């Protein structure tokens, strides 16, 4: 699971039929996205949830303890920032990179509601399994189809 290489896994358990991976960053410091200055000063923490690819047909959720850091560079316009985990998170993403890749493949092959149904059957957690997922898969499929 290379997308989990940069995190420390605290616990893996089952809840509500899903496999839950409790994890946190394995690094002490994070770089400010505006000025690049590394900071180890934590302003706060919260849990963020990412869907991941299924394990043995069972949905997987990564519950990541995320830190909001203080930028220490005088003059940087960004006072605080949320750390990103290389290879795992990007701002506002709700899916791990492997799950995003799998959903993209399903979206290209099937799109719409059939794609959403297949993703659900394969144990891929989607936030809103009907309309939102269908729209997302359709959008991905439109982008990937070659134009005539
Ligand atoms: Zn900064």
């Amino acid at each position: 699971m290379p997308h989990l290489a940069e995190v420390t896994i605290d616990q893996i358990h089952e809840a509500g039929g899903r496999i839950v991976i409790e994890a946190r960053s394995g690094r002490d410091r994070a770089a400010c996205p505006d000025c690049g200055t590394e900071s180890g000063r934590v302003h706060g923490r919260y849990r963020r949830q990412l869907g991941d690819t299924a394990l043995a047909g069972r949905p997987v959720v990564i519950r990541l303890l995320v830190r909001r850091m203080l930028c220490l560079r005088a003059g940087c316009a960004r006072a605080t920032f949320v750390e990103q985990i290389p290879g795992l998170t990007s701002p506002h993403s709700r899916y791990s990179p492997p799950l995003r890749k799998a959903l993209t493949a399903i979206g290209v092959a099937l799109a719409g509601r059939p794609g959403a149904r297949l993703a659900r059957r394969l144990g891929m957690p989607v936030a809103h399994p009907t309309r939102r997922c269908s729209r997302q898969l359709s959008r991905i499929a439109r982008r990937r189809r070659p134009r005539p």
Side-chain angles (χ1 to χ4, degrees):
M1 299 174 103
H3 59 296
L4 297 177
E6 297 287 330
V7 298
T8 299
I9 295 174
D10 294 318
Q11 191 185 19
I12 299 174
H13 60 94
E14 188 188 346
R18 301 181 307 178
I19 297 167
V20 180
I21 300 173
E22 306 275 357
R24 59 190 153 86
S25 174
R27 296 176 169 200
D28 293 334
R29 307 173 76 77
C32 171
D34 282 358
C35 69
T37 303
E38 293 237 317
S39 171
R41 291 268 308 274
V42 178
H43 181 67
R45 292 179 170 84
Y46 65 93
R47 285 272 174 198
R48 177 179 174 184
Q49 195 161 292
L50 291 168
D52 199 7
T53 45
L55 268 178
R58 297 180 61 194
V60 176
V61 170
I62 301 167
R63 290 194 67 228
L64 192 61
L65 185 62
V66 177
R67 296 176 298 184
R68 178 170 284 281
M69 313 295 279
L70 288 167
C71 181
L72 302 175
R73 182 168 169 252
C76 179
R78 190 179 291 262
T80 67
F81 62 92
V82 175
E83 69 175 334
Q84 299 298 328
I85 310 293
L88 179 62
T89 65
S90 54
H92 312 295
S93 176
R94 301 172 73 154
Y95 306 119
S96 70
L99 179 57
R100 180 166 296 285
K101 195 173 169 186
L103 291 176
T104 300
I106 291 169
V108 168
L110 294 174
R113 288 181 186 274
R117 277 196 299 272
L118 176 61
R120 209 170 31 249
R121 281 216 167 160
L122 293 175
M124 314 285 193
V126 285
H128 301 284
T130 52
R131 268 187 285 162
R132 185 175 173 160
C133 181
S134 297
R135 276 200 311 267
Q136 182 182 5
L137 292 175
S138 297
R139 208 168 39 243
I140 290 168
R142 274 197 305 274
R143 245 184 277 139
R144 291 296 177 97
R145 274 194 196 122
R147 298 195 177 217

